[in-house]
Amino acid sequence: MSFRRLAAAATVVGLVAAGLTVTGGTAVAHDHGYSALIQRASYGVPHITARDFASLGFGAGYAQAEDNICLIAERMVTVRAQRSRWFGTEASNVSSDIFHQKAIDDQVAERLLAGPRDGLRAPSAQVRDQIRGFVAGYNAYLLDAKTITDPACAGKEWVRPISELDMWRAYWAEMVRASSGALADGIVAATPPTANGSNMPARAPRAEAVVTASDGAPAGLGSNAYGLGRDGTASGAGMLLANPHFPWDGAERFYRMHLKVPGRYDVEGAALVGDPFIQIGHNGQIAWSHTVSTARRFVWHRLALVPGDPTSYLYDGRARQMTARTVTVQTPAGSVSRTLYDTHFGPVVVVPGHFDWTTTTAYAITDANATNNRALDGWLAMGRARSVSELRAVLDRRQFLPWVNVIAADRGGRALYADHSVVPRVTDSLAAACIPAPFQSLYASSGQAVLDGSRSSCELGRDPDAVVPGILGPANLPTLVRGDYVTNSNDSYWLAHPEHPLEGYPRVVGDERTQRSLRTRLGVHQVRQRLAGADGLPGKGFTTSNLWEVMLGNRAYGGELVRDDLVRICEAQPAATTSDGATVDLTAACAALRGWDLRTELDSRGAHLFTEFALAGGLRFADAFDPTAPLTTPSRLAVDDPGIRTALADAVQKLADIPLDARLGDVQTEPRGAEDIPIHGGRPEAGVFNMIIGGFESGVGYPKVHHGTSFLMAVELGGNGPSGRQVLTYSQSANPNSPWYADQTRLYSGKGWDTIKFTQRQLRADPNLTTYRVGKSYRHQSGVGSRSPENPLPAAVHPCCVLHGQGQDRLVEPVLCVYSCRSASRSAAWIAESVTQNMPSSRLSASTPMIAKTARRPNHSANRPPAAAPRGRLPQASIR
């Protein structure tokens, strides 16, 4: 790379990191800078106020980077197709890189941005501003931090400036999480057969899990939610319970924040780390949550191949050639290339043993979310809705939710359930005419549609009320508004309210009149019992206080149904044979189950034994499911089924060296440094509403939570504004050196809560409130970067920050300074690669200013970050 090209690339790094837009060969500086007020409340929750959406994004990007820079940086490594380079060349990383590199090569993100900026055909200017600001805020923190304290990425070269395209690529990956993203290894594994008809496709375990799943919910995710109307609450105001079940580690953690542009947007809640908008939360008039939907997000097309040419297929009697693309990624061992195949429907996918590529047949998919560029504008519009009616209008008009339902309640006391997610347009008539007979049972059982790909009449078509072709319009999607309650716990829409079942919708959306999960059933029972005052708590109807108690009651509905019968058959024959033929004494198990309190509290003894019994397949019922009594059937243990005793024996065998009557809090924990925090909650297989899933370790128990209850919010929309309780179970920061690494985890362990702090009055009452301003001015005057009065230029400027030109020294953008300095010790190419990866050389202008000197590596020993503040308080930040 020439010196001028390198200098130009480094300049682009600085400009992009500063939040400037790179167009053609020049950087366009907007007429104002970024400025955001951050009020850090207890538990490190940032309340961010800004004058516009760009500055709001800057504040969000800066605050999230303060707390979780490693998570965001790793997310960007993924969408840059560099996991193999930095994290190892195992098959999952290579497959991920090939998939994301193909998206880069296909300019997927660029295509999302093309079109009129109306929020329907392309993202709006406000959303783009917020993305731009988020990028600038993240990069500004990367400058200001000087030393990253999180050991997960401290000193790692993969922590680099990010660009707006990085963010849009990450956005696209979220959209296809339940579709082509879930099938990524099947897309990469797709290889045509040889001339003799043989091929050896790579395994595709993630794609196989999608194919064999009973519904379209993304793996590893779940949720509960209640929307409570005027007839369901003690006050008559609307109330919401939000309880998403997401991973406790990694890029899919939630992050609490409050975002406000006065007069335009004011929402408190949570977003996934790295996202600039609230996804679950409330404003002053309405609150909403999401639960994972059962609908499928893609359809299969069975291709009839041209004889003798396995990469051509017949369509209306004419041959069409597949498009072959060779995709190459870099690994420490060298480059890896794969040739991937596309059709006019979408990519060819192979799932060995299920969807194979033979000399006569192949399979492609249409991903309904692959072109979904509406979601960020949709969440922005949700945050501005003032009622259930307005929210419903937003859903109808925008159709943006990628793979979730929405449950909401408003101040007027109305509750809403809707699966208005993006669903392929597989109507009953299309399914009857276009799904070949061998695949009709697959569609009936799981909602997976395999359409005849040889006929244009079997294309997805368009509903007249759909925002784009190929998806179901609002009239074909389930919606329910009630004055008492709606609920969902990841089963389909059918029993959002059991007295008003939703029926008659296309099978691709979900199943009807089928058995519900124990968690769904308990969720409805809890609401009904509270409304009747039959749950042992005072009064009738919900308050935020008793809603919290109900949510964290930790009932195990499976135990309530069968424990007594299980103990009887256990005590009648206190010996059993495991599935591998070993004989087990059940005496201690019988006693532990008899003494169990039927809950998954910290002090519950024997809860883990029942969980393992359920996981071993022990919940076998004697009565059949009755669609006219869906909440109470099945319910009777099949006491004569020998598999029940085998399951109990397997559970006892698995728990060897762990006392069967141990306290749950002693065997189910979450590590935070040297501390093991006891965790309540349990598995959905046992019928626990408060879902917690930990990894099992022989002789120890469950020393690490994998996923489950994550962000928990109970909010009431009263006349004096929102009030209630909330907690982020795994805490605000993944950095073990952060004061907010474990505080909310301890809070959750004790069933505590943080209060809703939506108004300034509520916020100012927080004794731990700390306020600081972040911002960046990038209007240039006489070559000097301007600074706000409260953030003057530093007294000492490092030599690397000085350019020599026209006879005088001049200060350049500090981000450019830091990353040009690093080049001295890492390699000059590092700078160019950080942001200009996949950027054509035409984007680098030959007239871009050159860096005249290579500076020495700066010594940051005098610029250590301030010592950690007491828990709950943030040190005053030094913001340039």
Side-chain angles (χ1 to χ4, degrees):
M1 180 181 290
S2 70
F3 183 76
R4 175 172 289 276
R5 175 81 183 275
L6 173 59
T11 301
V12 171
V13 173
L15 296 175
V16 173
L20 305 184
T21 303
V22 180
T23 58
T26 61
V28 180
H30 300 269
D31 288 338
H32 57 275
Y34 301 107
S35 179
L37 182 71
I38 299 179
Q39 296 171 281
R40 285 271 189 177
S42 292
Y43 309 104
V45 178
H47 296 250
I48 304 167
T49 304
R51 62 174 175 258
D52 55 38
F53 285 93
S55 290
L56 189 66
F58 186 96
Y62 197 100
Q64 289 197 33
E66 285 182 301
D67 297 329
N68 291 298
I69 192 167
C70 297
L71 297 183
I72 301 173
E74 182 178 348
R75 186 185 187 195
M76 298 309 162
V77 169
T78 298
V79 300
R80 288 170 175 165
Q82 294 184 340
R83 292 195 67 85
S84 302
R85 177 179 178 183
W86 300 114
F87 305 138
T89 56
E90 54 263 34
S92 60
N93 283 342
V94 173
S95 177
S96 171
D97 287 348
I98 294 287
F99 176 76
H100 285 288
Q101 186 61 52
K102 181 178 184 294
I104 293 171
D105 294 346
D106 289 348
Q107 294 191 309
V108 167
E110 291 87 339
R111 292 204 304 270
L112 291 177
L113 298 172
R117 301 183 178 192
D118 57 6
L120 297 175
R121 291 169 290 181
S124 68
Q126 290 177 335
V127 162
R128 293 170 194 252
D129 282 348
Q130 190 143 351
I131 290 286
R132 172 170 55 84
F134 189 96
V135 168
Y138 173 94
N139 289 333
Y141 174 75
L142 195 55
L143 161 69
D144 289 339
K146 297 183 178 65
T147 300
I148 294 173
T149 63
D150 188 342
C153 68
K156 304 295 186 182
E157 290 192 57
W158 49 266
V159 182
R160 301 183 171 193
I162 65 174
S163 71
E164 292 172 47
L165 273 180
D166 287 333
M167 287 290 290
W168 286 110
R169 288 167 182 156
Y171 162 85
W172 179 80
E174 278 187 19
M175 295 300 101
V176 300
R177 168 73 163 76
S179 44
S180 54
L183 295 168
D185 55 358
I187 294 172
V188 175
T191 304
T194 60
N196 63 10
S198 65
N199 64 352
M200 292 291 292
R203 291 187 64 250
R206 290 188 60 204
E208 184 173 13
V210 173
V211 169
T212 57
S214 60
D215 58 39
L221 305 181
S223 29
N224 301 313
Y226 293 159
L228 302 170
R230 66 178 68 89
D231 298 327
T233 65
S235 67
M239 194 177 296
L240 179 89
L241 173 70
N243 177 217
H245 304 151
F246 271 58
W248 278 39
D249 298 283
E252 291 181 318
R253 283 170 56 118
F254 279 102
Y255 183 82
R256 289 177 57 195
M257 56 185 179
H258 180 188
L259 302 179
K260 182 176 182 178
V261 176
R264 302 172 69 188
Y265 183 79
D266 191 0
V267 178
E268 180 185 17
L272 294 178
V273 169
D275 285 353
F277 284 98
I278 301 293
Q279 290 149 332
I280 294 176
H282 65 89
N283 58 31
Q285 293 81 34
I286 189 168
W288 68 91
S289 188
H290 297 303
T291 57
V292 175
S293 161
T294 59
R296 293 286 176 174
R297 310 300 159 187
F298 64 93
V299 296
W300 298 93
H301 303 273
R302 185 175 72 170
L303 307 177
L305 301 182
V306 174
D309 184 359
T311 61
S312 295
Y313 58 101
L314 296 171
Y315 187 74
D316 285 343
R318 296 185 177 183
R320 287 198 174 193
Q321 186 69 38
M322 296 177 185
T323 301
R325 291 180 172 84
T326 298
V327 178
T328 301
V329 298
Q330 301 301 320
T331 76
S335 61
V336 175
S337 296
R338 298 281 189 276
T339 299
L340 308 183
Y341 295 85
D342 283 301
T343 69
H344 78 280
F345 299 113
V348 178
V349 183
V350 167
V351 184
H354 301 275
F355 293 95
D356 293 299
W357 193 342
T358 70
T359 56
T360 60
T361 307
Y363 298 88
I365 65 162
T366 293
D367 184 342
N369 271 313
T371 57
N372 180 3
N373 56 4
R374 305 176 300 280
L376 292 184
D377 277 286
W379 274 306
L380 175 62
M382 284 183 75
R384 292 167 156 173
R386 295 168 295 180
S387 66
V388 157
S389 297
E390 288 189 12
L391 178 56
R392 187 172 178 181
V394 168
L395 298 173
D396 286 351
R397 180 168 184 261
R398 297 183 180 274
Q399 290 194 266
F400 66 93
L401 293 172
W403 30 263
V404 290
N405 307 298
V406 62
I407 292 85
D410 65 18
R411 191 165 65 178
R414 287 159 294 187
L416 166 73
Y417 165 86
D419 189 345
H420 268 35
S421 54
V422 176
V423 185
R425 185 186 171 275
V426 182
T427 61
D428 290 340
S429 59
L430 183 70
C434 290
I435 296 179
F439 296 102
Q440 286 286 349
S441 61
L442 178 67
Y443 183 62
S445 63
S446 71
Q448 284 187 86
V450 183
L451 303 177
D452 183 349
S454 67
R455 294 184 283 152
S456 60
S457 59
C458 293
E459 294 274 7
L460 291 175
R462 181 165 192 167
D463 277 356
D465 58 343
V467 67
V468 293
I471 67 173
L472 294 173
N476 274 321
L477 295 169
T479 304
L480 182 63
V481 177
R482 298 282 302 187
D484 49 2
Y485 71 92
V486 293
T487 179
N488 184 262
S489 293
N490 303 131
D491 278 319
S492 77
Y493 53 84
W494 180 44
L495 295 185
H497 193 292
E499 278 83 46
H500 190 135
L502 296 168
E503 297 181 347
Y505 294 93
R507 178 62 184 86
V508 69
V509 185
D511 54 354
E512 301 169 6
R513 301 179 66 80
T514 57
Q515 185 172 325
R516 304 289 95 172
S517 73
L518 294 176
R519 179 160 58 92
T520 288
R521 289 163 60 181
L522 176 58
V524 176
H525 287 319
Q526 289 178 159
V527 174
R528 287 176 154 185
Q529 290 166 358
R530 178 82 301 268
L531 299 190
D535 58 0
L537 298 175
K540 297 180 180 181
F542 280 99
T543 64
T544 54
S545 175
N546 64 36
L547 179 56
W548 200 259
E549 291 185 68
V550 168
M551 168 65 224
L552 298 180
N554 288 321
R555 293 170 60 181
Y557 185 57
E560 293 176 15
L561 293 177
V562 308
R563 189 274 306 270
D564 291 347
D565 284 339
L566 178 60
V567 168
R568 278 192 286 271
I569 64 173
C570 178
E571 292 177 338
Q573 291 181 288
T577 303
T578 64
S579 55
D580 63 4
T583 300
V584 172
D585 183 357
L586 299 179
T587 303
C590 303
L593 289 171
R594 179 174 289 283
W596 177 39
D597 62 5
L598 302 177
R599 295 181 184 262
T600 54
E601 304 280 21
L602 296 181
D603 288 331
S604 294
R605 295 181 178 274
H608 59 302
L609 172 59
F610 186 81
T611 294
E612 292 300 337
F613 165 73
L615 290 173
L619 285 177
R620 304 183 179 204
F621 295 101
D623 53 331
F625 168 71
D626 180 355
T628 66
L631 298 177
T632 56
T633 60
S635 60
R636 291 186 292 106
L637 189 67
V639 293
D640 296 326
D641 187 334
I644 293 174
R645 292 174 49 76
T646 300
L648 184 57
D650 285 346
V652 172
Q653 184 183 58
K654 182 177 180 180
L655 294 171
D657 301 323
I658 298 175
L660 300 180
D661 62 349
R663 294 174 64 254
L664 182 63
D666 292 335
V667 297
Q668 181 170 275
T669 58
E670 173 67 10
R672 286 293 183 270
E675 180 182 7
D676 291 323
I677 300 174
I679 300 296
H680 53 84
R683 303 276 307 214
E685 293 86 351
V688 180
F689 190 72
N690 180 25
M691 191 175 90
I692 292 291
I693 295 178
F696 179 76
E697 184 176 330
S698 181
V700 176
Y702 316 89
K704 178 76 187 72
V705 178
H706 288 166
H707 74 278
T709 290
S710 46
F711 175 57
L712 183 56
M713 178 178 71
V715 57
E716 181 175 13
L717 300 153
N720 294 321
S723 61
R725 304 177 176 186
Q726 53 190 334
V727 71
L728 191 63
T729 56
Y730 35 67
S731 300
Q732 190 79 340
S733 176
N735 179 0
N737 291 310
S738 167
W740 303 303
Y741 174 63
D743 50 356
Q744 289 186 77
T745 310
R746 299 186 191 99
L747 194 66
Y748 169 76
S749 177
K751 296 189 180 181
W753 64 88
D754 186 20
T755 57
I756 299 290
K757 298 180 179 68
F758 184 74
T759 68
Q760 276 297 307
R761 181 178 181 180
Q762 291 168 325
L763 193 55
R764 285 195 296 267
D766 189 322
N768 297 313
L769 186 65
T770 301
T771 300
Y772 58 106
R773 182 174 293 278
V774 296
K776 187 170 189 62
S777 174
Y778 48 84
R779 179 196 294 273
H780 292 272
Q781 298 176 349
S782 304
V784 178
S786 61
R787 294 295 187 274
S788 61
E790 65 267 38
N791 294 307
L793 289 172
V797 178
H798 194 277
C800 84
C801 297
V802 176
L803 284 177
H804 296 275
Q806 300 177 357
Q808 60 180 355
D809 291 347
R810 54 196 177 96
L811 187 69
V812 298
E813 286 293 337
V815 172
L816 174 60
C817 159
V818 168
Y819 290 102
S820 61
C821 288
R822 289 187 181 181
S823 67
S825 64
R826 293 192 177 172
S827 80
W830 188 94
I831 308 169
E833 184 184 14
S834 295
V835 171
T836 61
Q837 178 194 5
N838 305 303
M839 182 183 292
S841 58
S842 61
R843 296 284 293 278
L844 300 175
S845 170
S847 63
T848 308
M850 291 175 57
I851 299 178
K853 289 187 174 182
T854 300
R856 295 170 298 173
R857 182 178 178 86
N859 179 0
H860 292 311
S861 61
N863 297 299
R864 298 294 184 193
R871 181 168 290 111
R873 298 190 65 85
L874 178 76
Q876 290 292 334
S878 173
I879 308 300
R880 293 184 175 84

